[in-house]
Amino acid sequence: MTGDIGPIRPVRHVLGISGGKDSSALAIYMRDRVPNMEYFFCDTGAELPETYEYLNRLEAALGKPIARLNSDRDFDHWMEVYQGTLPSPQMRWCTKNLKIKPLEEWVGDDEVVSYVAIRADENRLGYVSTKPNIKAIFPFRDDGIDKDGVMRILDEAGVGLPAYYEWRTRSGCYFCFFQRKHEWVGLKDRHPELFDRAVAYEEKVRYQETAMQGRKYTWSQGESLDELIDRREEIRSRHEAAMARAAKRIKPNRPLLDVLSEALDTDDDEAGCSVCHL
Ligand code: SF4
């Protein structure tokens, strides 16, 4: 007689949506290919209002809900755990605790195929879980879908781009430290209350600085947000000049987003977070 091993659970197919264009396009691309796909969004509690609005639009196009995964502990809790330091590209505790952990808890020990939206024209890895039960696959890379392909998928589905792409090219938290200088100015213009909240975090951290041996923690490299916004006009005119140069370099009839991305890259062309900015 064999022992009772219980029912065999089917493999789960999951696709993480960051609120950015690539993962959203992949969700639509896979909609009819994997009917039992489970879509999810890891909500840090600090997302832009435009992201929530876009998720609603996407749900309508997908015809099914996007599971919202919230960490049981919020950003403020983790900030205390990390002794009052702000996260940074070198210490990305926010991604680990607010994006990756909730996903790994949600899938548990289930066998999972995770669909990751790295494009064919990108040279980055994307998040691959170290959990042995999660297998990552890259349909855009495998099927040769590049940035133009992504834009086509979103256009044809009638979804378009999230509204924040008018001023910022990366999804994620309103205070994300991967923002370029002009994107911070954009946050101040579009969401002054969120900008003020980001300033309040910096002020909170300032009290810890003595304990942290005088090291200065700011969201944007080299200056506080107050200092950055004092230079608003200088940043704006530098950005306008970069936009004009980018518009000349880029072929006519390209989307405005290409010009904006190229102009912002002159400030900082680091690829951003491969979990949050897809
Ligand atoms: S969007 Fe930026 S701040 Fe938010 S979790 Fe990701 S890396 Fe951290």
Side-chain angles (χ1 to χ4, degrees), residues 131-186:
K131 289 190 75 174
N133 55 316
I134 303 181
K135 177 179 173 245
I137 61 169
F138 304 87
F140 279 168
R141 210 175 57 190
D142 297 345
D143 295 350
I145 309 261
D146 60 8
K147 194 173 184 184
D148 285 350
V150 159
M151 301 297 259
R152 224 172 6 253
I153 291 167
L154 293 174
D155 262 6
E156 284 170 8
V159 174
L161 293 170
Y164 63 74
Y165 275 123
E166 289 167 16
W167 54 281
R168 161 175 164 159
T169 60
R170 292 170 179 164
S171 48
C173 305
Y174 68 84
F175 49 53
C176 185
F177 43 82
F178 281 113
Q179 279 174 100
R180 278 67 66 92
K181 305 282 182 191
H182 190 262
E183 292 175 307
W184 280 110
V185 172

